[in-house]
Amino acid sequence: MAEGIAIVGLVASIVTLVDLSAKVLSRQHDFASNFSDVPQSFRSLWTQLPLLTATLEHIQSQAQTHQLPDDVTRALKAVVDSTSEQVSIVQTYLSQVLPCDDASKLERTLKALKSLAKEDNIQEAVEKIHKSNDLLILHQTTRHVDTGNRILEELSKLSVTPVASSNSYGVCLGRAPQVAADAFIGRTSELQQLRDWLSPKSQPGGQRIISIAGMGGMGKTQLSLAHVRDCTDYYSSVFWVNAKDETSLRQSMAALSVIVFPESANPVAASTDDEKVKVDKVRRWLSDSQNDRWLLIFDNYDDPRLPGMDSFTGYDIRTYFPSRAQGSILITTRSRRLLFAKQLLLKKLEGIEQSLAVLAARSGRAVDGDASATKLALRLDGLPLALATAGAYLNQSADSFDDYLELYNNSWSDLSQHSRGPVDYEERTLYSTWNVSFQQVRSQDPVAAELLKLVAYLDNQDLWYGLFQQELNDAPAWWVEMTKSRVRFNQAISTLHGYSLLEVGDGGYSLHTCEHDWTLEYLNHEFDQEKCRIAVHCVAANVSGESEAEYWVKNRRVLPHARRLQHFRITAAVGWAGIESDDLFWFAYLYEQNDLNLEAEKMYRRALDGYRKVWGPNHPSMLRTTNNLRLLNAVQAEHMKVEDINTQTLNSDDEAVNTVQCLQSSPSRIKAIFNRLQISMRRGKSECAGQ
């Protein structure tokens, strides 16, 4: 049966190659009728192809009459397939140069043909075709001896491997997620990088170890399986194992023994010792010197235990590698610290087109020109899991893109817990995917875990060391530990970055938008008043006064962190009485500086309430805040509110004098206020003129 399949495969390959050769010879006739000065490489090829075709016809006849041993049949098929690939390259290049009868264009066409002949790909293809032809002729002229081994030796020189052998088991993905071809979108450059790095030709005779690293939800597993789909012919065998923990990995490796050694007993090991025997047997098979073209995928190795990474639950994956350094190993992981592997860092999808394509593929809906779909794609910011989850939800409901966006913004926790995610992400959802990494971070460095929870109350972009280096009253122990030195702070950052929960950029750190949503909705599902207080203090302490150089530049940087306090979940839960009045004052000042007058007024009033309770109505802080609010209301032309404030806080002529003195002490502030008043008046006149 196996012999018959091998013969059919060889004959089919011969038919394909003969057809390709005929097409190239047809192009030769077209060129020969117009040019006499054809490049030497093409002339030699056109001499070789008729000889190649005749040889193939002889081999086909021998195969169909069962004159060829099985091993020779397989070896010959590899030669024919390799030759087809090279002839196809030549045919593709030649099709780009169209011969013409117009004499004025002949010279240009000949020039193009000569240029093609100098292409490295063409020269390499022609050389390999010559060698393959010589090898096939060798077989025909020495059939009286066993030439199987000789052919295999020559194949190795051509970087060609028979498509099947005693060590070939095809693609064995076991319980890997099933990813439909049309569900995988984009990642063209990443796939090309994997082809370049993992191709057996990239490092002949050596071992290739690649890690696909990135935060949860980036599609690392999907990328690895897309590579398998694209490059199956690179490998004699492809195996997938579950590396999420050591127990799962041992079970997956033991199950491979039944594939490689069919005579083995039940794939489920009878004991731990039996499991170890099976694993060691597979490792020895992977170390066989005649078996070096396999690909082994370790999926979801997210909990490493390596030098410098002391995980109580993790393990060292290298103990499961073959003892002989050969073959190709591909690891998907959230860790960026696998120094023994060449790293492909997977980031979010770039360009709105790819995000829309994922939404369209997953939801089954048209997205072209749909503003609502674009708005949703922008909100999910290129995170494949978030986009796939949205598409899967919409595929199963009548909700619109706008409906889903509203649910995501206002009912994140409910949506994440009760909507089904895409099947190819298995149990990973937006609700759980980052929790895996968070638990590992918390076990290794509790301070880093607390820092990540704190960031929920700040903006997700442009976090920097100085933002957190502020003295704090009644500081919790973790804060004292983190801020005791820059080295300790960087250690916490390194832990988060190591598990892809934080990005490191020029001068600062950041989180993905969807991960930031998770920090507030999941990590801080129970509102944390203390962390909110710390976040407010960090921002307030970084606000610059007008007397400082370039204060507006510094304040612009800190403004996004202040605006995070306007998130509806935070404003609904925060206890303003627990926030320092000075911090509220500087928040109000920052808002006022950036023309957020309504927000500034609210903060000034909250600061006044705090000052009044602690210091009474005559304290300088009370007067300073009152003056700022009075001038702010003047800009807004809210004179009734100003009178109300004066009634509450300015009860004597002495206090009025203090107010004037306070204003005189800051002439730059008076000038700024009057400038804003003039702008407001001009705006009012313009509006009246328009009416």
Side-chain angles (χ1 to χ4, degrees):
M1 179 66 179
E3 181 181 358
I5 293 174
I7 292 172
V8 171
L10 174 59
V11 171
S13 296
I14 289 174
V15 171
T16 299
L17 179 51
V18 169
D19 181 61
L20 282 171
S21 300
K23 291 179 180 179
V24 173
L25 288 171
S26 175
R27 303 296 293 164
Q28 175 256 345
H29 176 74
D30 293 338
F31 285 114
S33 62
N34 288 289
F35 309 115
S36 58
D37 190 19
V38 175
Q40 174 61 35
S41 58
F42 286 124
R43 288 206 308 272
S44 65
L45 177 63
W46 294 334
T47 301
Q48 287 279 325
L49 286 181
L51 182 59
L52 174 64
T53 302
T55 305
L56 290 172
E57 290 174 350
H58 282 290
I59 294 174
Q60 180 177 345
S61 174
Q62 293 158 5
Q64 290 173 330
T65 55
H66 302 277
Q67 298 179 38
L68 302 176
D70 184 56
D71 61 334
V72 175
T73 301
R74 295 181 186 280
L76 287 171
K77 183 180 185 305
V79 178
V80 173
D81 287 342
S82 174
T83 310
S84 291
E85 181 181 343
Q86 305 309 318
V87 174
S88 179
I89 291 173
V90 174
Q91 197 266 339
T92 300
Y93 273 90
L94 287 177
S95 65
Q96 300 172 8
V97 182
L98 300 177
C100 56
D101 296 328
D102 187 345
S104 64
K105 298 180 180 178
L106 285 175
E107 184 176 350
R108 188 190 313 165
T109 304
L110 180 59
K111 184 177 180 180
L113 187 63
K114 291 181 177 180
S115 177
L116 279 180
K118 297 178 182 179
E119 289 279 348
D120 291 341
N121 288 345
I122 286 288
Q123 292 181 357
E124 182 181 357
V126 171
E127 181 180 354
K128 287 186 175 182
I129 292 170
H130 280 293
K131 290 182 178 180
S132 295
N133 201 10
D134 292 343
L135 186 56
L136 293 173
I137 293 173
L138 167 69
H139 169 259
Q140 289 298 293
T141 57
T142 58
R143 285 188 58 233
H144 60 282
V145 298
D146 182 2
T147 57
N149 291 333
R150 176 72 181 278
I151 292 175
L152 290 174
E153 290 176 9
E154 295 298 325
L155 281 175
S156 65
K157 297 177 183 178
L158 293 171
S159 298
V160 178
T161 295
V163 295
S165 69
S166 59
N167 290 325
S168 177
Y169 292 93
V171 178
C172 305
L173 298 182
R175 296 184 179 181
Q178 301 300 307
V179 184
D182 59 354
F184 184 82
I185 305 295
R187 304 295 196 195
T188 305
S189 61
E190 290 88 347
L191 284 171
Q192 183 58 53
Q193 189 68 80
L194 288 178
R195 279 193 290 270
D196 294 342
W197 285 352
L198 284 170
S199 168
K201 299 178 183 179
S202 67
Q203 191 179 347
Q207 189 174 62
R208 297 158 294 281
I209 306 176
I210 309 299
S211 71
I212 303 176
M215 67 182 289
M218 278 297 171
K220 300 180 291 294
T221 298
Q222 287 71 11
L223 178 63
S224 69
L225 297 178
H227 170 73
V228 172
R229 185 170 56 248
D230 287 354
C231 300
T232 302
D233 293 343
Y234 279 17
Y235 311 106
S236 59
S237 305
V238 177
F239 301 108
W240 176 94
V241 291
N242 184 358
K244 69 176 184 178
D245 54 58
E246 191 165 17
T247 299
S248 298
L249 179 56
R250 282 199 303 264
Q251 292 172 350
S252 292
M253 293 283 284
L256 292 185
S257 68
V258 180
I259 298 173
V260 178
F261 308 104
E263 70 280 2
S264 297
N266 193 310
V268 179
S271 65
T272 302
D273 289 340
D274 182 36
E275 188 174 68
K276 185 178 185 305
V277 169
K278 291 177 181 291
V279 172
D280 289 344
K281 197 172 182 180
V282 170
R283 291 181 62 224
R284 285 195 298 273
W285 179 82
L286 293 171
S287 301
D288 187 334
S289 61
Q290 300 301 313
N291 175 34
D292 62 354
R293 295 180 67 87
W294 45 261
L295 169 66
L296 182 58
I297 301 173
F298 291 92
D299 197 22
N300 291 324
Y301 180 52
D302 298 328
D303 191 12
R305 187 176 186 180
L306 301 167
M309 301 179 69
D310 297 326
S311 169
F312 295 110
T313 57
Y315 65 99
D316 189 341
I317 197 173
R318 294 173 297 180
T319 60
Y320 293 88
F321 289 178
S323 57
R324 185 184 179 92
Q326 62 183 31
S328 300
I329 294 175
L330 181 59
I331 305 169
T332 69
T333 180
R334 301 183 188 196
S335 174
R336 304 187 184 190
R337 299 170 66 182
L338 305 188
L339 302 182
F340 55 84
K342 185 179 291 188
Q343 182 184 100
L344 174 61
L345 182 59
L346 200 59
K347 297 185 178 182
K348 67 182 183 180
L349 297 174
E350 295 296 339
I352 190 65
E353 294 79 11
Q354 291 189 16
S355 294
L356 287 172
V358 174
L359 278 179
R362 299 284 184 163
S363 68
R365 304 184 186 188
V367 298
D368 292 342
D370 191 321
S372 298
T374 300
K375 190 187 303 182
L376 176 59
L378 290 171
R379 178 66 178 85
L380 301 181
D381 195 26
L383 183 68
L385 175 57
L387 293 161
T389 299
Y393 177 92
L394 292 169
N395 184 262
Q396 301 164 19
S397 76
D399 287 356
S400 66
F401 290 112
D402 279 333
D403 292 334
Y404 185 88
L405 182 57
E406 183 178 356
L407 287 171
Y408 183 89
N409 286 331
N410 300 321
S411 307
W412 192 98
S413 181
D414 188 48
L415 180 66
S416 298
Q417 292 187 58
H418 298 108
S419 62
R420 294 181 178 179
V423 295
D424 49 307
Y425 282 87
E426 295 183 302
E427 76 279 4
R428 303 291 173 88
T429 65
L430 283 178
Y431 178 80
S432 65
T433 187
W434 297 300
N435 196 41
V436 174
S437 299
F438 179 74
Q439 296 302 331
Q440 292 158 359
V441 166
R442 186 159 61 181
S443 68
Q444 290 187 35
D445 188 353
V447 169
E450 295 299 321
L451 174 58
L452 185 63
K453 293 173 71 174
L454 171 65
V455 173
Y457 301 96
L458 298 166
D459 191 61
N460 65 309
Q461 299 293 322
D462 196 18
L463 302 156
W464 71 98
Y465 172 71
L467 182 63
F468 302 96
Q469 297 308 300
Q470 308 302 329
E471 293 185 4
L472 182 67
N473 294 329
D474 301 321
W478 70 266
W479 176 265
V480 175
E481 169 69 15
M482 185 186 75
T483 57
K484 70 180 182 181
S485 71
R486 187 163 195 153
V487 172
R488 182 63 184 92
F489 175 80
N490 287 340
Q491 181 185 349
I493 290 292
S494 176
T495 302
L496 293 172
H497 181 253
Y499 284 96
S500 298
L501 288 172
L502 196 82
E503 293 294 329
V504 177
D506 293 335
Y509 316 101
S510 63
L511 281 72
H512 187 277
T513 300
C514 294
E515 182 196 350
H516 196 224
D517 296 333
W518 165 77
T519 61
L520 182 61
E521 301 290 349
Y522 181 79
L523 294 186
N524 288 274
H525 184 68
E526 297 291 334
F527 185 81
D528 193 325
Q529 175 69 26
E530 181 178 65
K531 286 190 173 57
C532 184
R533 174 179 73 90
I534 294 173
V536 170
H537 181 71
C538 288
V539 174
N542 277 278
V543 176
S544 300
E546 293 175 3
S547 61
E548 297 184 43
E550 296 188 340
Y551 70 91
W552 62 90
V553 176
K554 299 174 183 176
N555 288 347
R556 275 289 178 183
R557 185 180 190 186
V558 82
L559 179 62
H561 298 292
R563 300 204 68 168
R564 177 64 169 176
L565 266 290
Q566 297 170 20
H567 190 285
F568 74 93
R569 267 208 65 212
I570 298 177
T571 57
V574 63
W576 295 111
I579 306 295
E580 293 285 342
S581 298
D582 282 346
D583 290 342
L584 295 174
F585 171 84
W586 285 110
F587 253 72
Y589 177 81
L590 177 65
Y591 284 149
E592 183 186 358
Q593 285 283 319
N594 289 277
D595 294 324
L596 301 171
N597 294 330
L598 293 177
E599 291 83 352
E601 180 185 355
K602 292 177 184 177
M603 285 297 182
Y604 276 137
R605 289 186 179 280
R606 289 165 181 153
L608 282 175
D609 289 341
Y611 287 137
R612 186 181 297 109
K613 291 176 182 177
V614 176
W615 304 111
N618 299 324
H619 192 272
S621 296
M622 186 77 174
L623 297 176
R624 177 189 62 176
T625 307
T626 298
N627 291 329
N628 283 9
L629 183 55
R630 179 181 180 182
L631 291 170
L632 174 65
N633 285 333
V635 172
Q636 297 175 295
E638 295 180 359
H639 300 291
M640 294 299 293
K641 295 181 180 179
V642 174
E643 291 300 323
D644 180 59
I645 296 167
N646 286 339
T647 301
Q648 294 180 38
T649 60
L650 303 179
N651 296 316
S652 69
D653 292 338
D654 291 339
E655 291 170 355
V657 171
N658 288 338
T659 301
V660 173
Q661 291 174 345
C662 182
L663 286 171
Q664 289 175 340
S665 67
S666 180
S668 62
R669 180 166 178 76
I670 295 174
K671 182 178 179 181
I673 292 296
F674 280 120
N675 286 340
R676 291 174 63 188
L677 280 170
Q678 290 175 355
I679 292 172
S680 299
M681 292 173 64
R682 285 198 295 271
R683 286 176 180 170
K685 291 179 181 179
S686 299
E687 292 173 358
C688 291
Q691 295 173 355

